[in-house]
Structure formats: structure tokens, C-alpha cells
Amino acid sequence: MSNIRYGLQMFGCSADFRKDTDFFFKTMKDYGYSIIEPCIIFGEDEFRANAIASGNEKAAALADLVWTEKSAPKFYEDMKKYGLELVSAHVFGADYEKMMPMMKEFAKTTGLKSYVINIPQQAIDEPFGFVKTLDYVADELESIGVELWLHNSGNDFRKKVNTEDGEMFVYEYLLTHCEKAWAQVDTGWVMPGGIEPQDFMKKYESKLRAIHFKDLHENFDELGFPKMFAILGEGRTDVKVCMELAPQDGSVPVYIDQDMPISGDIFADMKKSIDLLHSLEK
């Protein structure tokens, strides 16, 4: 019998979550999700001010959708009412030295096991220096028993760099050159590199800490945003093969990571996705 633990990445559900948090958590639990993975902005006021100053209205609006250091404690208590677990959280922000005290405090309070970083554009442009940032974050988190996971986001699989070990994607370079960084592989965002997610998961099996299931249409590059996204099982991701690589003991949690509502009903999308994964259990 499979003991796989299923989680939900909150980003694509943020707007619906805000409408009724209690209903959202109860519904996800009823569907069979046991883990909630939020995106959290630490240093909300500075994040918002910087976004406004740079004219990035989309980034400024994130603080009204995702969790922040102010709202996260309440949301955490809300999800606990339904027995939902907090294993990992994506961190939004750039000044990790300033954010670190808040990150540590939240982890200690909740028992969070890992923080997840998406590779920012400046690191994709200049990846060599970013390894030092990752080393700092990993060391600081390790001091309180928390891991650093790296999440691939598409652009880090569109660009390659030349290294002493040969040519590799930016994500690969950062994953292999930060000794204490682990992989949270997004199956959809591997494909812009022209490789299949199962092949990448096999190659870096020893680094794999979590699987994010995302699906893209076959001609996703031609379709562009937002038409490129597909409900899990309706795109080009070989979900069956990827599920075969998920340890049955639950040591590697499996998340649904759909960046936006696709059918027009995010709840229907989330139900369809987890039902598909359940049907593919060994």
C-alpha cells in the first residue's frame, strides 16, 4: 500500500484561498491533500515598497495574495484545524540576510522542515556568484535543522553555462555546486530545456526532496502565457512514469503545482489532479 503524501502548492490558488480560507483548507483535506505549501513574503513592507518604486505593480500585488510574515501564523493555525501539514514554504524576496531572522522564527514556531527558493533572473544571468548566496542560506537554515530546496522555474532550463564539469543548465549548476541544496523538481518547468522530467529526476535522484507536478501543452512555447498551461494529465508530462519514481514510503512528498486556474474552477482542477495521482499509485 502506498504511503505517498500529497501536497498543494498555493501560488495558483492564492486568489481563491483568500475568498474563504476555512472552506479552502477543508475542501483540500476532503480531496485527499495532507500538505499545504505556501509562498511567503518575509519583510512585506520593504518588498511592497521596492516593487512600487520599481514600477512593478504585479509584484506589489503579490503581498495581497500570498502569505506574509504577518499573516502566515494565522493561516498556519487555520490549516492545522484540518490536520494539514506544513513541510516546506517558498520564499519571496531577495535580501536573505534581512529575512533570515524572520525565516528562522517562523520555522521554529511551526516545525517547518524546508524553505524553497526559486532561481531569480539575476542569478540566471550571473549564476556563479549566486552559489555564495545559496551557501549562506543553506548554512543558516542548517543551524536550526531546516533544509534548503531549489525549485526550477523554466528560465533556469533555457540557459546553459560552461563549467569545469562541462556545459549544464543553470539549475543543474546551482544544484550541484551548493552542497547543501536539494531539488524540488517541477515536472513542467524542466521541459523548456528539451528534456523529459523523468530523465532529470533519475539523474539527480540522490538530490530529490520533493516532486512538483505541473503540466504544459505539447506546443507550450508557441502557445505562450497563459495558454501554455494544462491540467495535470492533459499535457505532455508523462505523469505515470514520473509517479513511478516517487518513493512509496512518503519520504518524497508529491505536490500539485498549477500556476493558475485552467478549467475556470480551481477546485475542480485540484480534485481532478489528485484523483489522477491516486489512480497511478503502485
Side-chain angles (χ1 to χ4, degrees):
M1 181 177 177
S2 173
N3 290 312
I4 292 177
R5 296 180 296 160
Y6 293 102
L8 177 69
Q9 216 302 316
M10 291 283 292
F11 183 79
C13 306
S14 295
D16 290 275
F17 163 75
R18 287 283 186 167
K19 293 175 184 177
D20 189 334
T21 59
D22 192 73
F23 174 79
F24 183 89
F25 286 139
K26 181 182 184 303
T27 302
M28 292 305 115
K29 181 67 174 180
D30 290 344
Y31 286 172
Y33 292 94
S34 61
I35 303 171
I36 295 294
E37 184 181 67
C39 300
I40 306 179
I41 295 173
F42 290 99
E44 172 189 353
D45 294 338
E46 184 174 359
F47 181 93
R48 194 190 299 270
N50 289 340
I52 293 173
S54 64
N56 191 338
E57 295 181 4
K58 188 175 181 179
L62 276 177
D64 296 320
L65 291 175
V66 304
W67 298 18
T68 69
E69 81 276 5
K70 298 174 184 177
S71 63
K74 179 187 181 303
F75 291 150
Y76 173 65
E77 292 301 320
D78 290 344
M79 61 181 272
K80 280 204 307 181
K81 290 190 299 183
Y82 295 101
L84 293 164
E85 186 182 3
L86 183 69
V87 174
S88 54
H90 281 231
V91 180
F92 282 13
D95 193 334
Y96 295 106
E97 188 170 348
K98 282 187 178 180
M99 295 190 300
M100 191 55 65
M102 290 178 279
M103 292 169 62
K104 287 183 176 180
E105 181 60 29
F106 184 69
K108 289 177 181 178
T109 301
T110 61
L112 183 82
K113 299 295 188 296
S114 58
Y115 278 114
V116 188
I117 290 179
N118 285 18
I119 313 304
Q121 187 58 50
Q122 61 266 32
I124 295 172
D125 296 334
E126 296 290 342
F128 304 106
F130 194 63
V131 173
K132 294 181 180 179
T133 298
L134 295 179
D135 285 338
Y136 163 76
V137 174
D139 286 341
E140 289 292 314
L141 294 180
E142 184 183 51
S143 70
I144 59 167
V146 174
E147 290 185 337
L148 170 64
W149 295 355
L150 301 184
H151 181 271
N152 54 299
S153 302
N155 286 339
D156 42 25
F157 269 90
R158 295 183 188 275
K159 182 177 179 181
K160 289 185 176 181
V161 293
N162 292 312
T163 75
E164 66 276 10
D165 300 316
E167 191 178 54
M168 58 178 61
F169 292 106
V170 169
Y171 181 82
E172 285 185 286
Y173 170 76
L174 295 173
L175 180 65
T176 56
H177 284 71
C178 178
E179 182 181 349
K180 298 175 183 177
W182 305 95
Q184 185 184 72
V185 175
D186 184 303
T187 63
W189 288 137
V190 168
M191 293 186 284
I195 57 176
E196 297 303 319
Q198 62 267 25
D199 295 334
F200 188 81
M201 289 161 62
K202 289 176 184 177
K203 183 176 180 180
Y204 292 102
E205 183 179 7
S206 64
K207 280 271 192 177
L208 187 64
R209 283 293 193 270
I211 302 169
H212 264 209
F213 273 103
K214 180 184 278 100
D215 216 344
L216 305 179
H217 287 293
E218 186 68 34
N219 55 337
F220 63 90
D221 269 332
E222 296 176 18
L223 290 172
F225 183 88
K227 294 181 179 180
M228 65 194 301
F229 297 113
I231 298 173
L232 192 63
E234 298 181 3
R236 57 171 287 179
T237 298
D238 193 331
V239 183
K240 183 177 185 298
V241 172
C242 290
M243 274 293 286
E244 290 173 354
L245 298 175
Q248 298 298 299
D249 62 2
S251 58
V252 175
V254 170
Y255 295 87
I256 303 297
D257 182 8
Q258 184 174 294
D259 282 352
M260 60 187 301
I262 296 173
S263 70
D265 182 346
I266 193 68
F267 293 99
D269 294 352
M270 295 303 100
K271 180 68 164 59
K272 189 172 186 177
S273 294
I274 195 169
D275 285 350
L276 172 62
L277 296 186
H278 277 304
S279 73
L280 295 174
E281 290 177 0
K282 296 177 183 178

